[in-house]
Amino acid sequence: MTNLTDPIFNNEDKAREHLESIRWADGVYCPHCGNTDETSIRRLEGKSTRPGLFQCNECRQHFTVTVGTVMERSKIPLAKWVLGFHLYAASKKGMSANQLGRMLGVTYKTAWFMAHRIREAMKGDTASGPLGGEGKTIEADETYIGKRETPRKLARGRIPTYTKSGKSGGAQKRIVVGLVERGGKARMFHLNDATKDTVREVLVRNADRQSTLYTDESRLYTVTGAEYDAHRTVKHTAKEYARREDGVVVHTNTIEGVFSIFKRGMVGVYQHCGEAHLHRYLAEFDFRYNRRTALKWTDAERATDLIRATSGKRLTYNQTDEAAYA
């Protein structure tokens, strides 16, 4: 359990030392030119020099531990950043900007600024290569959440079919496709349209074809499933949710559990999310799930990994206003 009275959460010098120990665990390097020779990098000290300032003698540039990270050029105290990283790493279902603002003692605008940059640092799990592999199992499924801000245009001028309650059904909801390796990591993606082609692209890019693929009976996976070592399905329409076959249990309950945590966070904590930002929230839930307690991660380790992931990432106000889809 993390001690929230730790000086790193309320003392600027301790917070800076904490960030430096994580980012520069293997030695100080220049984020401007990449110089790793510590003999040509010196810490500037003196009454007229701000704390934590370094100078690289190779490129003659000044830098601090925040340069080249999501914290760059931020006026927010470092202790608040460190606490913010910890809170987001430890909150299983997320934390709203209003709640973050109350806990850190900052305005809503500042908290919103911090929250999106913390989510930006959480991105990047896809860089570790595809999920699964020989002898491993991948579960895939899609879910629908919220209402589209831009209504879906159906082919040949067709009109969306509404349900008896007058709702538009899944056709006008936001589409999320998820993959999870049993006992391993998960990835979720926001798609503008769920078709055989778009779902196939997600699968082949993120799931090793030597894996066994488990899905429901959706036709989205029928053709693509043949490209994998094996493809087994459960028939949810027949109220079949699990069955034993050849000594293994066939089900998609793992990915359903991933979706459950995500939806509880979106409905109970965030309540509203602009469609242009949905991919950021998906990255946030992926990050925490992939470092869950069941995989022997602690809150402190998760927060440390999050701080380490801030390097090499930036997010400006202009970027947060752009509509982006996975």
Side-chain angles (χ1 to χ4, degrees), residues 166-183:
K167 297 181 179 180
S168 60
Q172 297 303 330
K173 286 182 174 289
R174 303 171 187 177
I175 303 165
V176 174
V177 172
L179 310 175
V180 63
E181 177 184 323
R182 284 193 182 175

Side-chain angles (χ1 to χ4, degrees), residues 49-117:
T49 303
R50 67 181 186 274
L53 187 65
F54 290 81
Q55 178 177 298
C56 173
N57 291 335
E58 291 294 325
C59 64
R60 310 301 297 175
Q61 294 289 327
H62 291 167
F63 63 90
T64 66
V65 71
T66 64
V67 172
T69 73
V70 296
M71 298 174 282
E72 184 172 348
R73 302 185 70 179
S74 167
K75 303 299 182 183
I76 301 168
L78 295 181
K80 293 186 184 295
W81 272 113
V82 173
L83 181 54
F85 287 127
H86 173 78
L87 292 174
Y88 268 81
S91 303
K92 185 174 182 178
K93 298 180 180 67
M95 177 174 288
S96 69
N98 271 317
Q99 180 65 30
L100 181 66
R102 286 192 290 268
M103 297 189 72
L104 297 185
V106 298
T107 65
Y108 172 75
K109 183 177 180 180
T110 298
W112 186 90
F113 172 98
M114 293 181 68
H116 273 300
R117 280 146 188 81

Side-chain angles (χ1 to χ4, degrees), residues 33-282:
C33 67
N35 176 29
T36 58
D37 183 5
E38 292 188 54
T39 60
S40 62
I41 298 175
R42 64 190 181 97
R43 185 189 292 270
L44 301 180
E45 298 177 331
K47 294 182 179 180
S48 61
T49 303
R50 67 181 186 274
L53 187 65
F54 290 81
Q55 178 177 298
C56 173
N57 291 335
E58 291 294 325
C59 64
R60 310 301 297 175
Q61 294 289 327
H62 291 167
F63 63 90
T64 66
V65 71
T66 64
V67 172
T69 73
V70 296
M71 298 174 282
E72 184 172 348
R73 302 185 70 179
S74 167
K75 303 299 182 183
I76 301 168
L78 295 181
K80 293 186 184 295
W81 272 113
V82 173
L83 181 54
F85 287 127
H86 173 78
L87 292 174
Y88 268 81
S91 303
K92 185 174 182 178
K93 298 180 180 67
M95 177 174 288
S96 69
N98 271 317
Q99 180 65 30
L100 181 66
R102 286 192 290 268
M103 297 189 72
L104 297 185
V106 298
T107 65
Y108 172 75
K109 183 177 180 180
T110 298
W112 186 90
F113 172 98
M114 293 181 68
H116 273 300
R117 280 146 188 81
I118 291 173
R119 293 187 189 102
E120 181 70 12
M122 288 175 162
K123 290 169 53 179
D125 275 355
T126 55
S128 60
L131 302 175
E134 187 176 357
K136 297 183 179 180
T137 299
I138 298 289
E139 295 180 23
D141 199 4
E142 73 282 350
T143 191
Y144 302 84
I145 183 171
K147 185 179 180 182
R148 287 173 177 267
E149 294 174 4
T150 303
R152 182 182 180 186
K153 295 181 181 180
L154 302 183
R156 298 185 296 278
R158 290 183 294 133
I159 299 175
T161 301
Y162 289 85
T163 62
K164 292 182 179 179
S165 62
K167 297 181 179 180
S168 60
Q172 297 303 330
K173 286 182 174 289
R174 303 171 187 177
I175 303 165
V176 174
V177 172
L179 310 175
V180 63
E181 177 184 323
R182 284 193 182 175
K185 296 184 176 183
R187 293 176 189 170
M188 292 184 285
F189 303 88
H190 174 208
L191 299 183
N192 196 40
D193 290 292
T195 65
K196 291 180 181 179
D197 291 336
T198 58
V199 171
R200 179 187 180 278
E201 185 173 357
V202 169
L203 281 169
V204 298
R205 286 179 178 273
N206 295 278
D208 193 304
R209 298 189 208 191
Q210 297 183 42
S211 311
T212 297
L213 182 65
Y214 288 179
T215 69
D216 57 22
E217 70 274 36
S218 171
R219 296 179 183 177
L220 293 173
Y221 308 99
T222 305
V223 176
T224 306
E227 300 181 35
Y228 286 80
D229 184 60
H231 178 207
R232 299 175 180 175
T233 64
V234 287
K235 297 182 179 180
H236 289 168
T237 54
K239 297 188 182 301
E240 179 189 59
Y241 298 99
R243 72 172 186 278
R244 186 168 292 278
E245 183 179 301
D246 298 330
V248 298
V249 180
V250 180
H251 65 75
T252 57
N253 295 340
T254 313
I255 188 62
E256 295 286 356
V258 175
F259 288 152
S260 176
I261 296 171
F262 169 64
K263 287 189 173 182
R264 278 170 169 74
M266 297 306 295
V267 174
V269 176
Y270 293 118
Q271 300 181 34
H272 173 74
C273 161
E275 191 169 3
H277 299 301
L278 181 56
H279 66 293
R280 304 188 194 283
Y281 290 84
L282 292 172

